[in-house]
Amino acid sequence: MERVILHCDANSFYASVECLYRPSLRHSPVAVCGSVEERHGIVLTKNQLAKQQGVQTGEAIWQARMKCPDLVCVPPDFALYIRFSQRMRRLYEEYAERVESFGLDEAWMDISNPGVTIDDGERIAHEIRNRIKRELGITVSVGVSFNKVFAKLGSDLKKPDAVTVIPPDAFQEKVWGLPVGELLFVGPATRRKLGEMNVRTIGDLARMDAGLLRGRLGKPGLTLKAYASGLDTSPVMPAQANAVIKSVGNSATPPHDLQNTDDARCLYYLLAESVAARLRQDGLRAKCVAISARDTELVTRSCQQTLNRATNLSGEIARAALQLFQERFALGFPYRSIGLSCSALSPQDEPVQLDFMGDEAQRMKNERLENAIDGLRRRFGHQIVRRAVVLTDRQYATVNPVEDHTVHPVPFYAG
């Protein structure tokens, strides 16, 4: 049976929704931007008119306004975007049982069935594109292909409001001449490494010697070669399937740069509480803690350590993170933002060897206490209970690492 995969990508999603709800903006260059006051002043997305003037996602607002003086900046409304994302997904599920989200604005659909061809996929893609425009008032670009990677590539090739087909019998002529950076998961660092090997196009990557690729990029290099060769066989996850969680993390940019270890301690406890709560919510414990820190030159460093035993207690996670920070990053102040994540996950009901040299009674008491706090926060909001360490700097008391952060589903590379 021939595989027929669609990838739908909402064009300039946040900006399109804002322009839909604010008709006066439809003929202006518009960018949805983070808060300058909260030091998140970057462009999250822009509409086509702003793009034509050189505005780029991820750049600072002042940089965007130098290129486009009449740029209209609006704050994000994530609740509204999530509602639109859910409506798009419900529409996709009318056509396929297997629908896999890739962020709020993108999704794969597997419409494979006996007798369904790539030509049928193109027809259905146009039907979906027209329905989204008619029923939701925004546009999508759709890629149609025989695997997920090329379907995603197809949706990127022609924007906005378009359908691009990459068939199995002609993918080389359509794909191999494209820059290698167009391929899914080839980011700037990987593109630079491939460039050093004289790999410039997707075709160059497909023809590259596997041994050389593995030596330079490791196992991911072989995966990218398979993608370039059209050998992606990864399935589209069913609509109700849950991705295997490999790690849980969070990061934050505080109201002011971190100037000393006390500042770092406040923020790491905030992040540890949100990460530990997510671990407990998913019934998990973690045995590896990793931290990252971004300095004022926007250079990011990271490191990790393995714990003696798996945990989902915020105090244990915060202390491990702070110890790492003091050992590795304490000489690099000031820092603009930091991150914390936990991996090497295991079910929390998995049998464990007790530490007879430690205070197990206190540890069990802490678990009960944190579960009780989780219940209070679910009912009254995350800020209903706060650690005293956070109150040493009143500006940190305004940082909400749970309700101010939206976790987008990106399960494709979970395996």
Side-chain angles (χ1 to χ4, degrees):
M1 182 176 68
E2 181 179 15
R3 292 185 82 201
V4 183
I5 310 296
L6 275 57
H7 182 269
C8 300
D9 184 358
N11 304 132
S12 305
F13 180 50
Y14 298 171
S16 296
V17 173
E18 293 294 341
C19 289
L20 179 67
Y21 275 73
R22 306 184 192 191
S24 61
L25 300 179
R26 293 178 185 176
H27 302 292
S28 302
V30 175
V32 177
C33 304
S35 168
V36 175
E37 291 75 16
E38 296 177 6
R39 301 183 346 118
H40 300 150
I42 62 170
V43 175
L44 302 177
T45 189
K46 70 283 182 191
N47 68 358
Q48 195 66 24
L49 291 175
K51 182 178 180 180
Q52 290 170 0
Q53 297 193 44
V55 176
Q56 297 181 3
T57 299
E59 67 184 355
I61 295 175
W62 66 266
Q63 293 174 310
R65 283 194 163 133
M66 287 183 68
K67 301 173 182 177
C68 180
D70 56 344
L71 183 69
V72 179
C73 296
V74 298
D77 184 347
F78 288 110
L80 180 61
Y81 309 150
I82 290 171
R83 189 163 79 243
F84 265 75
S85 178
Q86 292 169 341
R87 291 179 65 186
M88 286 192 293
R89 185 179 178 103
R90 286 196 294 270
L91 189 151
Y92 299 152
E93 290 173 356
E94 294 181 25
Y95 294 87
E97 292 182 0
R98 293 171 294 246
V99 178
E100 179 180 343
S101 296
F102 194 57
L104 286 179
D105 57 339
E106 303 181 42
W108 281 285
M109 305 164 53
D110 188 343
I111 61 171
S112 306
N113 271 306
V116 176
T117 66
I118 287 289
D119 290 338
D120 294 323
E122 183 178 10
R123 174 183 55 79
I124 291 171
H126 279 294
E127 183 176 326
I128 290 172
R129 179 180 62 83
N130 288 325
R131 283 191 62 187
I132 292 287
K133 184 162 50 177
R134 183 175 66 252
E135 297 175 23
L136 300 186
I138 61 176
T139 64
V140 295
S141 292
V142 187
V144 183
S145 194
F146 60 100
N147 63 47
K148 291 169 66 177
V149 170
F150 285 170
K152 162 68 174 168
L153 181 60
S155 69
D156 290 335
L157 286 181
K158 192 185 298 184
K159 295 177 180 289
D161 196 20
V163 171
T164 301
V165 180
I166 301 177
D169 56 353
F171 77 88
Q172 294 180 359
E173 60 189 67
K174 284 206 168 193
V175 168
W176 279 12
L178 297 172
V180 71
E182 297 290 330
L183 192 67
L184 189 63
F185 297 120
V186 177
T190 302
R191 186 172 67 245
R192 185 176 61 254
K193 292 177 182 178
L194 290 171
E196 293 169 356
M197 304 171 68
N198 204 32
V199 175
R200 311 292 179 187
T201 67
I202 294 176
D204 292 339
L205 178 58
R207 292 184 288 263
M208 187 66 185
D209 180 79
L212 291 175
L213 270 177
R214 187 182 182 98
R216 187 73 176 90
L217 300 178
K219 188 176 178 180
L222 301 183
T223 301
L224 294 176
K225 176 179 170 66
Y227 290 169
S229 303
L231 301 178
D232 168 39
T233 59
S234 55
V236 175
M237 294 176 60
Q240 302 304 321
N242 293 319
V244 176
I245 299 174
K246 297 295 184 180
S247 66
V248 175
N250 204 345
S251 62
T253 301
H256 59 74
D257 290 339
L258 305 178
Q259 300 292 342
N260 51 51
T261 303
D262 288 338
D263 287 344
R265 180 179 292 107
C266 288
L267 201 51
Y268 272 123
Y269 267 97
L270 280 167
L271 294 177
E273 287 206 318
S274 71
V275 170
R278 171 77 188 281
L279 288 170
R280 292 190 295 271
Q281 175 186 317
D282 292 325
L284 298 169
R285 288 193 175 98
K287 201 170 183 181
C288 182
V289 172
I291 65 169
S292 62
R294 175 176 291 185
D295 62 25
T296 53
E297 300 297 321
L298 302 184
V299 175
T300 302
R301 295 185 290 164
S302 61
C303 60
Q304 64 182 40
Q305 76 170 31
T306 300
L307 306 178
N308 292 329
R309 60 182 299 182
T311 184
N312 56 18
L313 295 177
S314 57
E316 294 180 354
I317 293 171
R319 285 191 292 273
L322 196 59
Q323 179 184 349
L324 268 176
F325 184 88
Q326 290 172 326
E327 292 174 354
R328 304 290 186 88
F329 301 154
L331 299 179
F333 288 105
Y335 288 105
R336 178 176 173 81
S337 63
I338 59 175
L340 185 157
S341 67
C342 291
S343 58
L345 307 181
S346 59
Q348 66 179 4
D349 56 0
E350 183 176 88
V352 296
Q353 175 65 52
L354 297 180
D355 180 5
F356 291 104
M357 302 300 292
D359 189 349
E360 286 300 322
Q362 183 61 46
R363 201 166 187 272
M364 294 173 66
K365 182 179 179 180
N366 290 342
E367 287 187 358
R368 292 194 295 270
L369 174 62
E370 296 209 9
N371 283 321
I373 291 173
D374 289 343
L376 287 172
R377 285 174 167 165
R378 281 193 297 271
R379 185 174 180 184
F380 299 108
H382 185 80
Q383 299 287 62
I384 193 65
V385 180
R386 286 178 284 182
R387 286 183 179 266
V389 67
V390 176
L391 302 181
T392 59
D393 185 329
R394 293 303 249 174
Q395 287 184 287
Y396 284 99
T398 65
V399 177
N400 187 334
V402 173
E403 292 158 10
D404 290 345
H405 290 73
T406 300
V407 178
H408 303 303
V410 187
F412 179 81
Y413 207 45

